Amino acid sequence: MNKGIAGSAGYGVGKVVIISDAKPEYENRTITDTDAEIKRYDDAVAAFTEKTHAMAEAMKESVGEHNAEILEGHILLLTDPGMDEITKGAIMSGTCAEAAFESTCDMFAGMFQMADDELTRQRATDIGDIKVRMLKILTGTPDMNISEVPAGTILVAEDLTPSMTAGIVKENVAGIITAVGGKTSHSAILARALEIPAVLSVDGIVDMVSDGMTAVVDGCDGICILDPSQEEVDEYQAKREKYLSDKALLEVYRGKDTVTADGAKVHLYGNIGNPEDAKQVAACDGEGVGLFRTEFLFMGASELPSEEEQFQAYKAAAETMEGREVIIRTLDVGGDKDIPYLGLEKEDNPFLGFRAVRYCLQNKDSYRVQLRALLRASAFGDIKIMVPLVTCVDEIRSVKALVKELMAELDAENIAYNKDIQVGAMIETPAASLIADLLAKEADFFSIGTNDLTQYTMAVDRGNAKVAYLYSSYNPAVLRSMKNIIEAANAAGIMVGMCGEAAADPLLIPLLISFGLGEFSVSATSVLATRGTIAKWSKAEADELAAKALSLATETEVAELLKANAR
Ligand SMILES: C=C(OP(=O)(O)O)C(=O)O
């Protein structure tokens, strides 16, 4: 069994076909007729552009317009004035088009590779793809055709480039395994769009397999099994069938409103960690973003992201959601989330220490940068600002005052933003829960962070296995806390959502309906399943179950009751 990154969910069993898109050989000649060589290069760029447009057009149907844009992006990269100028400069000094272009690509790829964020590093893979395709055009080498692989193929490659993916006939490909690539790599995005199970970053995979070998791809757990036993094949075939039939059943909920069995509408959003994830939320039919964990932007960098970098990221998420709500949480640093360049001191009790809004309000210069970026991005969609780890009214007042100050600043600079932008509180501490009625007068909305609410309510470190038996949102204390928060928000007439894991728990959903939760924010892949569970409960049925659950004294009793009533 080999472990990699779960790039695209699902299970596949099939026969390996190794894909290697090698760079064509060419002779590095010295050029005397440089004008003719430049024309040859320009003709190759034109041919590349035409071919790529055609591939993107063909891909639109299989992977959707958004994802097909990845290939269109290759044209932009190739025709970038910098790239063009450097290549032509080398040709003018007598280097042949192939060598000139290859060295330009290597230089750009090297630069992108050094970036701290995965999105920019991804460009190095894109440049590699462009390089091989352009060299093939320049040398007259035919394109590799993976559209002809037989049904039941497991594609194995060092990396699956966007142009290779364009040729995939999805009915024939049972799975994909690559040696490189992460969750947000283009190969992962395209595999998900094609709904082909994929495991990425399996070190040395190409050398471990041979054509025709049987392989299992488990894209849910990020595992692949080479030369599996008959038992393993049967096990994974069964998993595959169950996965596909469950998925097919959920498809009836796609494009539908999220409503309870008696027709009450709630919002169903997705959680994201970067702007790219928003595309997955949209593709999975999420109705908005209920939690953008911005700390990932900070964690993936080597210094504080600038206002412009943050603005671009927030704007991209807002634009992807096309006017639907995008709730962006300000930096939730500390606790288990370390950002080395911030130089936070080691604390004995980091979860109870200098973190989240506490840190931000004492580091106003960097908080101002984030809030300004959020305000500017609010001109491009329905962005809402969410403040993490609120424990007292002062904190939400201070953030609102800061936002007001920044609005005046932007007014003076004539920069557009949403003047009615909402500032909400993440409710994840017992203190916030106990004063939910007071906070509801100050915050424009609530979102319950049950991951932390459970940890703080039960005084149990969410990462400590020894006390994990206490870490459950079925505990009567946590249930009462959730009910209190939701009721306080509803009494004050503000929206109340939930963005912790509990929002997607099918056993808990009836209780949340009964308490009056207005918005569920879950991982993109849980959207349809959550909509399906919500549709199975009427308010009256949910109330009956909630009354029973709230009368119970222990977590075990609650868990048993909820399991016995699962739908
Ligand atoms: C969603 C939450 O935040 P985190 O990013 O800490 O999981 C939560 O605490 O429920």
Side-chain angles (χ1 to χ4, degrees):
M1 182 183 296
N2 296 280
K3 188 92 187 101
I5 292 174
S8 174
Y11 303 93
V13 181
K15 299 272 182 214
V16 166
V17 172
I18 303 171
I19 304 294
S20 99
D21 200 12
K23 175 172 77 82
E25 296 295 322
Y26 62 88
E27 188 195 336
N28 193 348
R29 309 167 315 276
T30 304
I31 300 297
T32 45
D33 187 351
T34 52
D35 286 349
E37 192 66 358
I38 286 199
K39 176 159 184 333
R40 199 167 73 84
Y41 174 70
D42 281 337
D43 287 349
V45 171
F48 179 99
T49 305
E50 193 184 324
K51 240 178 168 171
T52 308
H53 275 313
M55 277 158 77
E57 201 49 46
M59 265 176 101
K60 271 184 193 161
E61 228 171 75
S62 56
V63 301
E65 198 149 333
H66 250 321
N67 293 313
E69 279 170 12
I70 291 173
L71 271 179
E72 298 277 5
H74 283 193
I75 301 173
L76 291 179
L77 275 173
L78 173 63
T79 52
D80 175 86
M83 190 124 179
D84 197 62
E85 204 177 297
I86 296 169
T87 307
K88 286 183 177 165
I91 297 175
M92 289 304 286
S93 62
T95 311
C96 69
E98 288 89 344
F101 185 68
E102 180 165 17
S103 97
T104 308
C105 285
D106 291 349
M107 186 189 84
F108 274 85
M111 268 162 28
F112 288 137
Q113 223 131 34
M114 275 167 5
D116 292 311
D117 64 300
E118 178 161 354
L119 269 183
T120 310
R121 279 199 304 274
Q122 172 65 47
R123 295 209 162 172
T125 310
D126 289 326
I127 294 274
D129 192 7
I130 295 167
K131 176 170 95 175
V132 172
R133 289 185 54 222
M134 271 292 284
L135 289 178
K136 280 184 176 169
I137 294 172
L138 284 164
T139 55
T141 313
D143 258 343
M144 182 196 48
N145 190 354
I146 59 173
S147 64
E148 285 163 12
V149 297
T153 290
I154 303 284
L155 291 179
V156 177
E158 193 57 30
D159 192 6
L160 199 70
T161 61
S163 65
M164 285 184 196
T165 319
I168 287 179
V169 176
K170 77 178 202 182
E171 290 70 23
N172 291 348
V173 180
I176 295 169
I177 313 174
T178 65
V180 299
K183 254 193 193 316
T184 57
S185 64
H186 285 159
S187 41
I189 293 167
L190 293 170
R192 285 197 290 269
L194 289 163
E195 300 179 312
I196 299 174
V199 179
L200 312 176
S201 271
V202 182
D203 209 16
I205 184 68
V206 179
D207 296 330
M208 289 188 246
V209 294
S210 52
D211 279 325
M213 173 189 261
T214 303
V216 164
V217 174
D218 174 348
C220 296
D221 288 329
I223 289 166
C224 60
I225 306 173
L226 308 177
D227 249 339
S229 65
Q230 190 54 45
E231 250 181 1
E232 285 169 323
V233 167
D234 293 345
E235 178 193 338
Y236 277 92
Q237 291 287 19
K239 278 190 177 183
R240 178 179 154 77
E241 271 153 39
K242 167 129 182 37
Y243 177 85
L244 292 178
S245 69
D246 287 353
K247 203 164 157 212
L249 287 176
L250 288 178
E251 279 304 308
V252 299
Y253 297 107
R254 188 177 289 279
K256 300 267 166 60
D257 279 346
T258 306
V259 282
T260 59
D262 52 341
K265 184 161 169 26
V266 292
H267 301 289
L268 178 54
Y269 295 168
N271 293 346
I272 65 172
N274 59 56
E276 204 57 40
D277 290 350
K279 293 183 183 162
Q280 213 206 338
V281 170
C284 292
D285 214 26
E287 300 157 18
V289 169
L291 168 66
F292 181 161
R293 293 178 159 104
T294 61
E295 50 279 5
F296 288 108
L297 291 180
F298 290 70
M299 284 175 182
S302 55
E303 56 182 14
L304 276 176
S306 66
E307 180 183 319
E308 187 58 25
E309 282 164 334
Q310 293 190 54
F311 162 70
Q312 291 297 347
Y314 308 147
K315 173 172 172 267
E319 287 182 338
T320 298
M321 295 316 289
E322 297 175 332
R324 285 165 288 176
E325 201 174 340
V326 177
I327 299 176
I328 305 187
R329 174 171 80 185
T330 60
L331 183 62
D332 188 23
V333 65
D336 57 347
K337 296 168 190 151
D338 187 26
I339 302 178
Y341 58 82
L342 294 183
L344 289 178
E345 275 172 28
K346 279 252 164 297
E347 296 178 346
D348 288 341
N349 247 325
F351 275 111
L352 304 184
F354 191 44
R355 58 169 301 207
V357 69
R358 304 167 182 184
Y359 170 85
C360 289
L361 285 173
Q362 288 190 53
N363 286 275
K364 283 221 177 99
D365 285 349
S366 50
Y367 204 24
R368 291 171 86 93
V369 170
Q370 180 167 43
L371 292 172
R372 255 181 78 100
L374 284 167
L375 283 169
R376 285 175 55 202
S378 71
F380 297 88
D382 186 6
I383 284 181
K384 293 182 168 54
I385 297 172
M386 179 153 75
V387 186
L389 206 79
V390 170
T391 49
C392 53
V393 166
D394 292 334
E395 286 164 341
I396 202 84
R397 281 187 186 156
S398 300
V399 177
K400 284 188 118 178
L402 196 53
V403 168
K404 233 180 168 168
E405 244 179 65
L406 295 168
M407 283 179 166
E409 217 175 271
L410 293 175
D411 284 338
E413 292 169 42
N414 245 330
I415 297 177
Y417 64 91
N418 173 13
K419 292 187 194 294
D420 298 319
I421 193 164
Q422 292 194 359
V423 179
M426 189 146 170
I427 307 293
E428 49 189 340
T429 63
S433 172
L434 287 165
I435 58 160
D437 56 332
L438 303 177
L439 282 170
K441 291 190 190 130
E442 310 277 339
D444 297 321
F445 63 90
F446 282 171
S447 183
I448 308 176
T450 50
N451 306 342
D452 270 342
L453 184 69
T454 305
Q455 144 165 287
Y456 290 123
T457 303
M458 299 305 297
V460 54
D461 180 341
R462 67 195 246 191
N464 185 336
K466 291 209 179 90
V467 286
Y469 66 96
L470 285 169
Y471 186 76
S472 160
S473 45
Y474 302 157
N475 274 298
V478 184
L479 292 184
R480 287 180 194 204
S481 184
M482 290 194 251
K483 182 168 184 281
N484 183 52
I485 298 162
I486 295 168
E487 285 178 353
N490 286 333
I494 63 167
M495 175 53 78
V496 54
M498 181 174 285
C499 56
E501 293 300 315
D505 181 348
L507 300 186
L508 207 57
I509 284 171
L511 304 197
L512 301 177
I513 293 172
S514 168
F515 298 163
L517 192 73
E519 176 240 299
F520 295 68
S521 191
V522 302
S523 65
T525 47
S526 300
V527 166
L528 291 182
T530 304
R531 186 173 291 149
T533 308
I534 290 170
K536 288 181 185 141
W537 289 91
S538 71
K539 176 79 166 63
E541 292 164 331
D543 282 347
E544 201 183 318
L545 185 66
K548 281 187 197 154
L550 288 168
S551 72
L552 299 173
T554 70
E555 190 270 347
T556 314
E557 287 166 10
V558 173
E560 273 167 14
L561 173 79
L562 298 184
K563 276 184 203 144
N565 286 277
R567 292 187 178 171

